[in-house]
Amino acid sequence: LKQAILDRIVKRPVKGIAQLEEAKSDIASVRYSGFLAAGVERWKEYNEQLTNIKRKPILFVMMSNTVEADDIGDWLRTKYPSVFGGSKTLIIHTDKSGEVSKKDLDIARKVAREVDHEKSPVNAIVSVLMLREGWDVQNVTVVVGLRPYTAKANILPEQTIGRGLRLMFRNQVDSYTERVDIIGNRAFMEFVEDLEKLENLKFDSF
């Protein structure tokens, strides 16, 4: 990862640092509202920056289960209807093994192929895992990790970050430095810090 970042083969990860705590609630959209709002604000900034070069950013949110994913998707659609309403937010469910559920599989494959296109309505993807399915989405600029990451499954946060590393531009654009903002709960950010130590690389932060 370090060499790929230094060689600009992937986007440069940037950590979001905030004095946020999870709210005491069983409702995901209440518990994580601060992290989600931070992710949306960063997405808005990227949306403004990318307008001139005719690209659109994607907000990628990873949740623990389908109930939470549905709740977060509804929260985005309701709170930010102009940018995330209706088909502008896509929710992709997976089963416990990490496979995209059968009813979502065709949709997931279609979106993975088309989400970067200018005509695609999708601005946000809320997913449970979606790690084993092929993924070549390039326009992810903000990743919000809200799963209860544990030491036994540390591959998950690494793959979560990987959702946003693919470059938007195959050839470098001098006026724009490709970055992906990493925002999340304490467990997720602790993993990111461990990844920095492992790679001997300090991510920029905001």
Side-chain angles (χ1 to χ4, degrees):
L1 178 61
K2 178 179 180 178
Q3 198 58 51
I5 291 169
L6 294 176
D7 291 344
R8 299 181 74 177
I9 295 170
V10 297
K11 294 190 188 91
R12 188 170 188 88
V14 187
K15 291 189 303 182
I17 309 298
Q19 300 301 315
L20 292 174
E21 294 291 336
E22 294 180 21
K24 292 181 179 177
S25 174
D26 292 332
I27 302 169
S29 57
V30 175
R31 187 161 73 250
Y32 298 127
S33 61
F35 303 104
L36 292 163
V40 169
E41 289 306 311
R42 294 299 289 185
W43 177 89
K44 287 180 177 177
E45 290 182 32
Y46 281 112
N47 195 39
E48 193 172 317
Q49 292 171 18
L50 288 165
T51 299
N52 293 335
I53 43 182
K54 299 189 184 219
R55 286 295 175 104
K56 63 167 193 166
I58 300 291
L59 171 68
F60 184 86
V61 184
M62 187 170 285
M63 303 305 302
S64 294
N65 56 58
T66 57
V67 173
E68 289 192 349
D70 286 336
D71 177 46
I72 296 305
D74 288 342
W75 184 87
L76 287 169
R77 287 169 175 155
T78 303
K79 193 167 181 66
Y80 305 96
S82 64
V83 289
F84 298 127
S87 61
K88 293 178 181 178
T89 292
L90 176 78
I91 303 168
I92 299 175
H93 295 150
T94 55
D95 59 28
K96 290 180 180 177
S97 68
E99 301 293 344
V100 178
S101 60
K102 289 180 180 177
K103 71 183 182 67
D104 283 357
L105 187 56
D106 288 341
I107 297 172
R109 284 174 173 158
K110 188 170 189 290
V111 167
R113 288 195 307 268
E114 299 178 1
V115 72
D116 291 325
H117 296 178
E118 195 175 346
K119 292 181 181 178
S120 169
V122 177
N123 289 330
I125 298 172
V126 183
S127 173
V128 181
L129 294 179
M130 199 187 173
L131 300 179
R132 298 189 181 186
E133 183 66 20
W135 179 270
D136 193 34
V137 176
Q138 299 163 18
N139 286 11
V140 174
T141 54
V142 182
V143 172
V144 183
L146 297 175
R147 292 173 53 81
Y149 298 96
T150 61
K152 290 180 181 178
N154 262 359
I155 190 65
L156 291 177
E158 188 168 10
Q159 288 179 310
T160 305
I161 294 170
R163 302 304 90 184
L165 287 178
R166 283 175 172 78
L167 292 173
M168 282 186 281
F169 305 102
R170 299 304 183 188
N171 298 313
Q172 293 179 14
V173 176
D174 292 336
S175 61
Y176 183 73
T177 300
E178 293 208 42
R179 311 181 342 170
V180 56
D181 289 358
I182 309 296
I183 299 170
N185 56 8
R186 182 178 296 178
F188 181 54
M189 298 313 291
E190 284 176 354
F191 170 81
V192 174
E193 289 168 5
D194 287 342
L195 185 60
E196 288 178 294
K197 292 174 187 173
L198 183 66
E199 294 283 345
N200 190 27
L201 176 67
K202 190 73 178 169
F203 294 156
D204 293 334
S205 62
F206 64 89

